[in-house]
Amino acid sequence: MLPDTVNPDVSLLESDAPQVNLVRWMHQCELVKRYYQADYVFVMQKTKLGYEVLVSAIARVPKFTSGQVFGKEFSLFDALISSPPDGLSLNLSRYSKEELPKEFDGCLGLLSRPLLWPDGTLFGCMCILNHHPMENAGLNGLMLEPFQILLQQDLALLCQSHRIESLSMRDRDTGMLNHYGFIMMAPRQLNLGRRFGAHAGILFFELLGNDGAPHEEIEKNNRLLGNIVQSTIRTADIAAHFSPSEFVVLAFVDAERDLMHIVNRVDRQLKQQSDNVGLDYSFRYFTPDSTAKLAPMLAMAREDLQSHRRRQAELANTSDDEEAGD
């Protein structure tokens, strides 16, 4: 399986992936073009939009440029991408004009090799186009294998990097624990606190007013909330950036009312630093003699937050409908 953070339907051109060096991919296309004395060489990825050209070798008449998308109506591309590992060598004169994109006009020979994600799912293909039929198709296909392997190694490196990042216990943007780090550390801290008779609570925080804001502003606001949460908690408490929009705290308190005091401190500091956003929250409380496990309490606290968010959205929609009715 691919890491959850890798979406195969999204073009590599839209993702910040330093592990995939598209400049090097373009150089590989140039090498392939010179070796085969080809007219066009390009690498294509299958995305939610269709078949997108990622990189291509320089051509006298540029027909296959980076970012160019071909529609899913061309079954030829499906055949190229889902071909056997040895690839395909096709005589395009056997295809009707309607079966091929206009960019293929005048091309007779096509040689391709499929590219796969590390889990074996389809990524795309490398294509070589010539204005004359391909000779020695079997031998020519074998010579593409090193290029195929090199590009697939970059995809494997990309996935490996995502896995390592997901296993890291720290959030890259805020420096706080991430979801994985919290799940690893919080149960042990809770059990330790119970031994000393400590009261504890799970608090979830999320910003209100981020809807529709630019991505950069949302990230800035979330970093602000993360800094406030970290400055509010005590040494024994554990805070984490649980999801892109949610922060969670395992706090040790003297009584349940102290959880609300934490919420008020965070809310007060947030209002002092930003007038554009508000604070949404939920919490669950553990007594010292409670036998409740962390995971179910965590899930219930998060569900409370999400339920409140849904109710707020429903109220907003109802209000808009009433105004439209008036």
Side-chain angles (χ1 to χ4, degrees):
M1 277 182 67
L2 296 177
D4 293 338
T5 49
V6 173
N7 186 350
D9 292 328
V10 174
S11 168
L12 289 184
L13 297 177
E14 297 179 24
S15 62
D16 182 17
Q19 298 81 13
V20 177
N21 189 334
L22 292 178
V23 174
R24 183 168 67 162
W25 284 28
M26 184 186 71
H27 291 161
Q28 295 303 313
C29 289
E30 292 287 349
L31 290 173
V32 171
K33 184 185 177 193
R34 285 202 294 270
Y35 176 79
Y36 287 97
Q37 297 182 345
D39 295 299
Y40 304 101
V41 177
F42 56 93
V43 175
M44 180 176 289
Q45 179 184 357
K46 185 176 182 180
T47 69
K48 60 186 176 183
L49 300 177
Y51 309 93
E52 182 168 357
V53 177
L54 297 180
V55 293
S56 64
I58 298 173
R60 282 185 299 175
V61 181
K63 290 186 176 182
F64 303 93
T65 56
S66 182
Q68 186 175 359
V69 178
F70 295 96
K72 296 181 180 180
E73 67 271 15
F74 296 110
S75 59
L76 170 67
F77 293 128
D78 252 341
L80 299 179
I81 290 171
S82 58
S83 67
D86 292 343
L88 293 176
S89 179
L90 301 175
N91 185 344
L92 296 179
S93 63
R94 299 174 182 175
Y95 288 78
S96 66
K97 192 173 183 179
E98 292 75 22
E99 293 178 286
L100 301 174
K102 65 179 185 301
E103 288 80 2
F104 280 51
D105 287 353
C107 294
L108 297 179
L110 186 152
L111 186 65
S112 75
R113 272 258 174 169
L115 300 173
L116 305 178
W117 288 101
D119 66 346
T121 55
L122 302 176
F123 171 82
C125 63
M126 173 180 272
C127 292
I128 301 168
L129 276 175
N130 260 327
H131 287 121
H132 53 80
M134 291 288 184
E135 297 179 0
N136 301 319
L139 178 61
N140 281 331
L142 285 174
M143 294 305 297
L144 264 183
E145 185 176 8
F147 300 102
Q148 177 191 33
I149 292 173
L150 182 63
L151 302 189
Q152 290 182 164
Q153 283 176 342
D154 277 1
L155 296 177
L157 184 62
L158 170 66
C159 292
Q160 184 181 33
S161 175
H162 276 262
R163 288 192 182 95
I164 291 172
E165 187 173 320
S166 68
L167 291 175
S168 169
M169 294 178 65
R170 292 285 170 184
D171 174 61
R172 181 175 58 185
D173 296 328
T174 62
M176 302 172 70
L177 290 175
N178 59 17
H179 169 274
Y180 180 76
F182 187 82
I183 295 300
M184 288 289 291
M185 297 185 65
R188 182 173 54 188
Q189 194 77 350
L190 178 61
N191 291 335
L192 184 62
R194 280 173 170 167
R195 291 181 191 175
F196 293 97
H199 300 247
I202 290 285
L203 301 101
F204 265 97
F205 297 103
E206 187 173 34
L207 290 175
L208 296 171
N210 261 343
D211 295 341
H215 180 69
E216 294 77 10
E217 184 177 339
I218 292 174
E219 286 188 337
K220 178 184 175 182
N221 292 337
N222 281 332
R223 282 195 298 271
L224 172 61
L225 178 57
N227 291 334
I228 292 172
V229 168
Q230 288 186 95
S231 66
T232 300
I233 65 174
R234 296 181 297 184
T235 304
D237 301 339
I238 295 180
H241 194 181
F242 200 77
S243 76
S245 64
E246 297 170 335
F247 293 85
V248 65
V249 175
L250 171 64
F252 295 96
V253 293
D254 297 323
E256 186 173 2
R257 64 177 179 273
D258 293 334
L259 295 175
M260 201 61 218
H261 293 162
I262 296 174
V263 171
N264 291 334
R265 283 202 305 270
V266 172
D267 189 39
R268 184 169 58 252
Q269 291 187 44
L270 183 63
K271 287 177 179 176
Q272 289 173 356
Q273 298 191 47
S274 177
D275 298 327
N276 300 326
V277 292
L279 184 69
D280 196 5
Y281 67 89
S282 68
F283 58 78
R284 289 279 172 158
Y285 175 65
F286 298 88
T287 58
D289 58 349
S290 170
T291 59
K293 299 294 185 183
L294 178 70
M297 295 291 275
L298 186 69
M300 286 188 285
R302 193 181 189 197
E303 177 59 29
D304 288 346
L305 184 70
Q306 294 172 346
S307 296
H308 180 257
R309 189 163 65 243
R310 286 193 293 268
R311 288 195 298 272
Q312 292 293 104
E314 290 169 1
L315 289 173
N317 291 335
T318 302
S319 176
D320 291 343
D321 292 342
E322 290 175 352
E323 291 178 4
D326 293 340

